């Protein structure tokens, strides 16, 4: 099962902000790259490589904190992809408002933007609980014990529309001024960056944990 950020073959690993042109940014600007990831596939390959008795699974197979963390990361990555899609739609709406001279027309677009903004929270309220601990309101670190006293911690990054998350303001003036639209566009650009940083961070976490899990299984087989 291919991970959401790699859902199209040939798609570049680093996604370009839809606001790049408006903000005068170049498509190859520096930033966090989102590496192509297949979390479920990597986990499956690691488990298949293990020479375990299928009829009598070991305690390690039944309770594997690394596998549990990877499951949470994968769920979070799919949720982030959905959040980013909504942000891109909101960008298109706000950019369209800059080309509308009629104040009533801009008010309608402001309403559309606000509906998209609020749909991010609705989307997060419905995500897998395992993903919610990383990107929802009640987030917490996921601590993975790797043997002995070694611990790996997966950090949360809140992605709701509050100031502690994506910090997306409502259109208080219904886009009556172009200044408000510019402010919203600036917040949307920063929100996209935050979503991309979260995805890149969780991809790195997954890569490390998959490699560690594979190494542990190989060492167990060799023992």
């Amino acid at each position: 099962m291919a991970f959401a950020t790699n859902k199209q073959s040939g798609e570049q690993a680093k996604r370009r902000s839809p606001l790049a042109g408006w903000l005068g940014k170049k498509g190859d600007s520096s930033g966090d790259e989102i590496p192509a990831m297949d979390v479920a596939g990597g986990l499956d390959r690691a488990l298949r490589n293990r020479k375990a008795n299928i009829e009598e699974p070991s305690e390690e197979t039944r309770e594997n904190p690394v596998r549990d963390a990877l499951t949470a990361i994968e769920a979070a990555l799919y949720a982030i992809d959905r959040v980013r899609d909504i942000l891109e739609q909101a960008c298109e709406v706000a950019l369209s408002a800059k080309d509308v001279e009629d104040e009533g027309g801009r008010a309608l677009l402001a309403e559309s933007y606000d509906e998209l903004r609020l749909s991010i929270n609705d989307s997060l309220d419905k995500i897998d609980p395992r993903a919610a601990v990383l990107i929802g309101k009640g987030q917490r670190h996921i601590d993975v014990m790797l043997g002995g006293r070694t611990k790996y911690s997966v950090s949360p990054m809140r992605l709701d529309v509050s100031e502690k998350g994506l910090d997306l303001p409502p259109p208080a003036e219904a886009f009556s001024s172009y200044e408000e639209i510019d402010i919203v566009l600036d917040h949307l650009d920063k929100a996209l960056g935050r979503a991309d940083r979260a995805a890149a961070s969780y991809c790195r976490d997954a890569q490390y944990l998959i490699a560690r899990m594979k190494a542990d299984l190989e060492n167990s087989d060799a023992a």
Side-chain angles (χ1 to χ4, degrees), residues 72 75-76 124-136 138 140 142:
L124 292 180
D125 287 340
K126 299 173 183 176
I127 62 175
D128 189 313
R130 293 168 294 187
V133 302
L134 291 175
I135 63 175
R140 60 176 175 80
I142 295 180

Side-chain angles (χ1 to χ4, degrees), residues 39 41 70 82 97 113-114 119 196 212:
V39 177
L70 285 170
R82 171 57 181 156
Y113 157 74
D114 201 40
S119 73
D196 285 348
R212 179 61 185 253

